Amino acid sequence: MRPLAIRRVNRRADSRRGQSAWRWAIVDTRPGLESARWASAARATDLMDVPLDGSTGVASDEPILCVCTHARHDQYRAVKGRPVATALARVFPEQTWECSHLGGDRFASTMILFPAGLYYGRVPPDDAPDLVDRYRAGRVDLRFFRGRASLPNVVQAAEAFARAALGDDRIGAFSHEATTSEPGGWRVSFACDDRQVVVRVSASASTPLLTTCEATVALPVREFALTSLEVT
């Protein structure tokens, strides 16, 4: 599991003074088991004793919209993320949160939609509410889609390639069946309705780049490429 710190949009770090409880949520992003449970703790130290098996908390069907604004990790994330969080909070005030580092700095602004665990990158503020409307309708916004938190990164890349090739934006359209290593890459198979989709991907190192606004040394990052796609 991965912990995220969340706070209400445009809230200062010291604005909790005088409040009596810390809210927390446990989210399961596994396909078919997506769920979210909310509760609160009297003190921050009590969060260490929260059971992680889903046995406590109140179940919620509402989406949780987390936008990365982690300026301490990378100021550019906050510069790009806060306008997106603000735009979402105007439409979905109870569901929107600023959150700590999500990864993928060069794709700011980044966000994740729970409980499905859909990652998005380079989301413009004007498009963010529509992206959430599609999510609530069971759809993926293919323009900014980066993958699913519950899947290994190779499978995320393969699913993104399959969605782009087939134009299928249903959240549950692709069910991961197997991943096997092959010379030069991986073979990833999905079930999609009554079809099997086999995606072959390879990985390579990019040209060196600065991945954050504070980086001083350009380094290569791993990139995935589509080798082939078969539908049977």
Side-chain angles (χ1 to χ4, degrees), residues 69-207:
T69 58
H70 196 162
R72 185 170 296 179
H73 177 81
D74 180 8
Q75 292 185 10
Y76 187 64
R77 304 301 293 274
V79 170
K80 300 292 286 187
R82 285 195 175 125
V84 174
T86 300
L88 284 175
R90 293 193 191 103
V91 184
F92 308 104
E94 295 302 315
Q95 293 82 20
T96 304
W97 302 84
E98 295 183 14
C99 74
S100 54
H101 184 50
L102 287 177
D105 300 284
R106 66 191 186 281
F107 298 107
S109 61
T110 58
M111 60 186 294
I112 185 168
L113 307 186
F114 292 118
L118 303 185
Y119 277 116
Y120 289 97
R122 295 176 178 151
V123 180
D126 291 344
D127 290 306
D130 178 62
L131 184 152
V132 176
D133 286 336
R134 296 189 191 197
Y135 174 70
R136 296 177 76 116
R139 302 286 176 174
V140 174
D141 192 323
L142 300 178
R143 297 172 296 172
F144 313 112
F145 183 56
R146 297 287 309 154
R148 297 192 69 169
S150 57
L151 300 174
N153 51 13
V154 171
V155 182
Q156 292 185 60
E159 181 182 329
F161 287 131
R163 288 186 179 278
L166 301 178
D168 197 327
D169 66 351
R170 295 172 297 162
I171 290 177
F174 297 90
S175 177
H176 177 230
E177 293 183 323
T179 301
T180 55
S181 297
E182 295 183 336
W186 299 266
R187 179 186 187 274
V188 186
S189 61
F190 300 94
C192 181
D193 297 329
D194 58 351
R195 303 171 296 174
Q196 184 182 57
V197 180
V198 176
V199 185
R200 285 182 167 87
V201 297
S202 61
S204 61
S206 71
T207 57

